[in-house]
Amino acid sequence: RCTDAVVVPVAMRYPMTAERRPECLVRIGGPVEVRGSPASAATRTLERAVATGLAAIDEDLLLDRRDGYRVALEGGGSVADRYDRRARRKAVS
């Protein structure tokens, strides 16, 4: 049996898009209370909560909706960009 707990489900997707930089979309669900449930029932409840979050992310990706997301970590230029710049400089010289 599970002890009393409150769990916050987190759904994450790493989509392969046209962007050269990797992206991770995260959706944080509402708290789920697990109170004295058998572990299998608690697991099924949490699986449904995460599946709901993943479905919402998939729909956002399908409709190209990014307005509900914010950038949590901004990376530098990609390695491919550096190679492209170097190749262009060599082609010009």
Side-chain angles (χ1 to χ4, degrees):
R1 294 182 64 87
C2 293
T3 59
D4 292 347
V6 177
V7 180
V8 177
V10 178
M12 296 173 37
R13 285 270 192 236
Y14 294 93
M16 296 300 187
T17 62
E19 298 294 323
R20 288 187 172 178
R21 294 187 181 128
E23 209 174 26
C24 176
L25 300 177
V26 179
R27 187 171 282 263
I28 300 171
V32 176
E33 291 188 29
V34 178
R35 301 244 181 248
S37 302
S40 59
T43 298
R44 282 192 301 276
T45 299
L46 295 172
E47 285 174 344
R48 281 193 301 271
V50 171
T52 298
L54 290 172
I57 292 172
D58 290 343
E59 183 177 340
D60 290 342
L61 286 167
L62 183 66
L63 299 174
D64 199 26
R65 288 190 303 222
R66 299 290 201 282
D67 54 319
Y69 299 90
R70 66 179 176 85
V71 175
L73 179 64
E74 187 84 45
S78 73
V79 172
D81 289 339
R82 282 183 256 161
Y83 283 122
D84 288 346
R85 282 193 300 273
R86 184 177 295 152
R88 277 188 296 241
R89 280 196 301 262
K90 285 183 180 183
V92 172
S93 49

